[in-house]
């Protein structure tokens, strides 16, 4: 059963057309024609699914999002375009399934304005005669829409001034001012430890997300003003409604400077809104508060309201490098006007080795598409559905709410990215990716009656074909996968070998005798607490299509292999993970697939750091590309947007008390060992791994040493360059990675990297030529 299902998953993506057509190799510019599915929402009846589809804009400058509707009651139905808007997201069905709320960001002067809430009929026939109705005009826009259980209103989050009276007074004074008094300063006064965020830029702590109730228009077209439900210095993180009531629960962390908290925690607050048809002017006071003592995310309330499920990491005596995310349940005891915890929260999945609520990452999640996976309860309160990562795959699991027993509903060797289900679980859909499939929606049916598997899996049926027109033309192959026994300190990771994936060029026969050795690229994932796996990665496919064998392993420190395997690098990173990486390279060479004289290495973020480390420890590699890297741990600690005071997979904080430890694990300490030509991929707006704490250091040092080196700088790009950067930049990133390896491993001319021919290196420490 499992083997048959895996084959079905692989080949369904290419059916029914194009199977026998002439195929071509994938290129970096195929990204222009990619379609990505983001948020998926199932109608209450289970007969339709609304989803966000992302594509590249016609001028290739960015991304556009639109809403589609797929009729599940009609076999082989084609999705229907619901909204032609270029920035439409977050579709949400009304409780009766007749209306669809969504967010739309209208472009003004070529840039999208803050997203606002809109409403439209949920049926295409009704939609054709009318335009969506705009429900909000909040100054900072709306996010996270949810319907009230009775369908009479919606709630949204919106950034709101902490001190609203003062903000209104200041705005009024400024509006009447003239001359110098009308000047609006752009100076930033920073008084908090975390003052910027990757992708957001400067943070403004004077604004925090608050909850608003949005009424529906009345028959005469009039609409009540938004009712603000929360206020103050602390914002709302997540919220949800209690089914069949007007109770609203939300989480918030009332901590002024979270960076000082070794174990952040959330509190749950509740509001009883009463009659939703009348909007009082006052902000209601919470009816009760529950301090979870855990940092909770993905809140989900059981249908009877008595059990609050969430993801959290267990607290220990001290913060550790990696604590697995588990599925927890807090039982609640309700009275007429309040509720209280019925005992402490209990961990349903402790020590089971799964990364609950997590999976494996690729480079092609839907840009701007939204759709964070949720936790779902069954109607009888007995079962939870959740996504979990395990050994490089991301499963959809059924979890017994009483015992925590786990039952996989999907097979290995794929990645479930998102899912949705009806309360009775009779209709279940999932967004699934694998190495030759960006992501499509599948239905998950009941296991086959004649199944002999110990744990029968649901039968998958492909529902969408958003990339069939392109992918039916591409020659894509699945990676080879095997495990390598670690040669250094295997006792530290007992019973776990090093899992590695090897993407080989299309047409290459790994079983040929003898096999043809190829130039090899070791590709290292970031994190370091992350994992490669059975998900689509354009980078691996493009490099393989160029003629390279691509080795992308999960060394110690990776997730989905158990907490010890990930946590073992605490205060020893980079360290023994380097040896795991080299063990996989040697294993690929031993299979005859790789030429030991033509080795390259690359990686991004934590993988960029390890790329820098690798070339300081060995000169076996003839070319290296460090992407968004870290070379100096101390510099990074002082400048990055997430530098925490209790972090422990980096050297212990602070660097001024642990100088030797920081130096021992910083590649810059050993830069004089480097002999490998290096190229650096850097985002000018990257505050997660600031270029000044990474590639800029090595670039200057290698220039001095007369080692060929190049920086490729990407304007406006953050740490998300490879995943959601501007389309042209994502393509140019891949082009430069290929070109650098082509130059040094294939002896291809790449003159853009050469300095003038009459420039002679004059460093006394090296005789290596520049060109």
């Amino acid at each position: 059963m499992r083997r048959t299902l895996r084959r079905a998953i692989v080949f369904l993506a290419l059916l029914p057309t194009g199977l026998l057509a002439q195929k071509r190799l994938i290129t970096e510019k195929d990204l222009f024609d990619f379609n990505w599915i983001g948020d998926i929402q199932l109608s209450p009846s289970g007969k339709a699914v609304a989803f966000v589809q992302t594509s590249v804009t016609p001028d290739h400058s960015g991304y556009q999002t639109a809403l589609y509707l797929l009729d599940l009651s009609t076999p082989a139905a084609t999705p229907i375009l619901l909204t032609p808007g270029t920035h439409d997201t977050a579709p949400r069905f009304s409780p009766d399934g007749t209306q669809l709320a969504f967010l739309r960001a209208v472009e003004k002067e070529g840039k999208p304005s803050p997203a606002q809430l809109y409403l439209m009929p949920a049926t295409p026939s009704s939609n054709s005669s009318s335009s969506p109705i705009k429900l909000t005009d909040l100054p900072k826009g709306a996010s996270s829409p949810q319907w009230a259980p009775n369908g009479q209103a919606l709630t949204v989050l919106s950034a709101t001034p902490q001190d609203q009276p003062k903000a209104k007074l200041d705005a009024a004074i400024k509006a009447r001012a003239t001359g110098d008094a009308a000047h609006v300063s752009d100076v930033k006064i920073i008084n908090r430890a975390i003052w910027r965020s990757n992708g957001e830029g400067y943070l403004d702590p004077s604004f925090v997300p608050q909850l608003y109730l949005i009424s529906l228009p009345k028959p005469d077209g009039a609409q009540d003003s938004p009712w603000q439900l929360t206020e103050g210095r602390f914002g709302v993180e997540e919220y949800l409604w209690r089914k069949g009531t007007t109770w609203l629960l939300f989480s918030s962390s009332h901590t002024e400077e979270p960076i000082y908290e070794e174990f952040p925690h959330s509190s749950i607050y509740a509001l009883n809104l009463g009659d939703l048809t009348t909007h009082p002017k006052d902000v209601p006071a919470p009816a009760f508060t529950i301090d979870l003592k855990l940092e909770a995310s993905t809140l989900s309330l059981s249908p009877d309201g008595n059990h609050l499920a969430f993801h959290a990491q267990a607290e220990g005596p001290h913060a550790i490098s990696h604590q697995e995310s588990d599925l927890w349940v807090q039982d609640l005891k309700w009275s007429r006007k309040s509720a209280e915890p019925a005992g402490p929260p209990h961990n349903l999945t402790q020590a089971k080795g799964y990364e609950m609520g997590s999976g494996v990452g690729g480079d092609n999640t839907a840009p701007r598409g939204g759709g964070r996976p949720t936790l779902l309860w069954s109607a009888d309160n007995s079962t939870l559905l959740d996504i979990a990562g395990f050994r490089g795959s991301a499963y959809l699991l059924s979890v017994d709410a009483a015992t925590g027993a786990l039952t996989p509903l999907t097979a290995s060797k794929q990645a479930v990215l998102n899912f949705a289900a009806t309360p009775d679980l009779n209709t279940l859909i999932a967004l699934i990716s694998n190495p030759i499939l960006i992501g499509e929606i599948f239905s998950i049916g009941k296991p086959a009656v004649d199944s002999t598997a110990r744990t029968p899996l649901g039968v998958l049926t492909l529902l969408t074909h958003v990339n069939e027109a392109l992918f039916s033309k591409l020659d894509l192959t699945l990676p080879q996968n095997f495990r390598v026994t670690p040669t250094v300190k295997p006792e530290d990771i007992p019973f776990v070998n090093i899992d590695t994936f090897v993407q080989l060029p299309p047409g290459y026969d790994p079983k040929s005798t003898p096999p043809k050795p190829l130039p090899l690229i070791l590709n290292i994932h970031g994190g370091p607490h992350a994992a490669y796996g059975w998900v689509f990665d354009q980078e691996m496919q493009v490099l393989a299509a160029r003629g390279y064998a691509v080795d992308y392993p999960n060394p110690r420190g990776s997730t989905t292999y158990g907490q010890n395997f990930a946590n073992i690098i605490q205060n020893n990173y980079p360290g023994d993970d380097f040896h795991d990486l080299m063990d996989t390279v040697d294993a690929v060479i031993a299979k005859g697939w790789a030429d030991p004289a033509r080795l390259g290495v690359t990686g991004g973020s934590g993988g960029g750091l390890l790329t820098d480390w690798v070339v300081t420890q060995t000169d076996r590699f003839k070319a290296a590309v460090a992407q968004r890297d870290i070379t100096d741990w101390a510099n990074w600690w002082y400048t990055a947007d997430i530098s925490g005071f209790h972090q422990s997979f980096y050297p212990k904080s602070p660097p001024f008390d642990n100088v030797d430890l920081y130096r021992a694990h910083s590649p810059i300490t050993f830069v004089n060992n480097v002999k490998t030509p290096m190229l650096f991929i850097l985002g000018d707006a990257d505050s997660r791994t600031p270029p000044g704490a990474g590639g800029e250091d090595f670039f200057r040092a290698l220039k001095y040493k007369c080692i060929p080196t190049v920086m490729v700088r990407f304007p406006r790009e953050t740490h998300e360059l490879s995943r959601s950067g501007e389309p042209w930049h994502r393509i140019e990133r891949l082009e430069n990675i290929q070109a650098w390896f082509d130059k040094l491993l294939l002896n291809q001319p790449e003159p853009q990297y050469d300095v003038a021919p009459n420039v002679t290196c004059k460093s006394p420490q090296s005789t290596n030529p520049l060109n």
Side-chain angles (χ1 to χ4, degrees), residues 144-167:
S144 305
Q146 292 188 32
W147 282 90
N150 62 8
Q152 296 177 358
L154 293 108
T155 38
V156 297
L157 292 176
S158 184
T160 305
Q162 291 186 21
D163 189 338
Q164 288 178 276
K166 181 179 183 301

Side-chain angles (χ1 to χ4, degrees), residues 327-611:
L327 176 56
W328 298 68
V329 172
Q330 171 67 67
D331 295 332
L332 302 174
K333 183 167 60 177
W334 289 86
S335 62
R336 188 171 64 88
K337 293 185 177 181
S338 187
E340 61 185 22
H346 49 284
N347 189 340
L348 285 179
T349 58
Q350 184 176 13
K352 293 189 176 179
Y354 283 84
E355 290 283 348
M356 304 303 295
S358 182
V360 293
D363 60 8
N364 270 276
T365 53
R368 325 289 190 265
R372 188 179 69 172
T374 59
L375 275 169
L376 288 181
W377 285 89
S378 61
D380 62 3
N381 311 292
S382 67
T383 303
L384 283 152
L385 297 186
D386 197 5
I387 291 175
F390 186 73
R391 293 185 178 272
S393 298
Y395 295 82
L396 180 59
L397 297 178
S398 172
V399 186
D400 188 294
T403 66
L406 304 177
T407 302
L409 302 179
T410 57
S412 61
K413 296 193 175 182
Q414 61 183 351
V416 177
L417 307 178
N418 203 346
F419 70 96
T422 51
D424 59 9
L425 306 188
N426 285 332
T427 302
L428 180 58
I429 62 170
L431 178 63
I432 297 177
S433 174
N434 66 36
I436 61 172
L437 184 70
I438 291 179
E440 299 282 2
I441 300 175
F442 291 76
S443 66
I444 304 178
K446 299 296 183 181
V449 176
D450 61 350
S451 172
T452 59
R454 184 178 64 178
T455 306
L457 302 173
V459 177
L460 297 185
T461 302
L462 184 66
L463 300 178
T464 59
H465 305 80
V466 298
N467 281 299
E468 183 182 30
L470 171 64
F471 275 50
S472 62
K473 303 173 184 176
L474 302 180
D475 192 357
L476 301 173
T477 61
L478 291 171
Q480 304 294 312
N481 177 228
F482 57 88
R483 292 173 183 164
V484 176
T485 301
T487 58
V488 174
K489 297 181 182 177
E491 67 277 7
D492 286 350
I493 46 173
F495 312 114
V496 184
N497 290 329
I498 307 305
D499 200 7
T500 194
F501 304 85
V502 182
Q503 187 67 57
L504 297 170
Y508 182 88
D509 183 5
K511 296 181 180 180
S512 63
T513 306
K516 177 185 176 182
L518 302 168
L520 175 74
I521 297 172
L522 170 64
N523 200 311
I524 311 170
H525 71 64
H529 298 313
Y532 280 138
W534 295 94
V535 69
F536 184 78
D537 267 297
Q538 186 189 14
E539 181 172 334
M540 313 308 176
Q541 293 283 356
V542 166
L543 290 173
R546 188 72 177 179
Y548 295 100
V550 186
D551 172 26
Y552 54 115
N554 286 328
R556 67 190 77 190
S558 303
T559 55
T560 77
Y561 297 89
Q563 183 166 305
N564 175 70
F565 187 84
N567 189 59
I568 199 66
I569 66 171
Q570 179 169 327
N571 294 321
N572 186 30
Y573 169 69
D576 296 333
D577 41 4
F578 159 73
H579 300 290
D580 295 341
L581 296 170
M582 298 307 298
D583 286 342
T584 68
V585 170
D586 289 336
V588 179
I589 293 172
K591 289 180 177 291
W593 302 343
D595 180 352
R598 293 187 293 168
L599 302 180
V601 58
T602 188
S605 191
L609 165 70
L610 274 168
T611 297

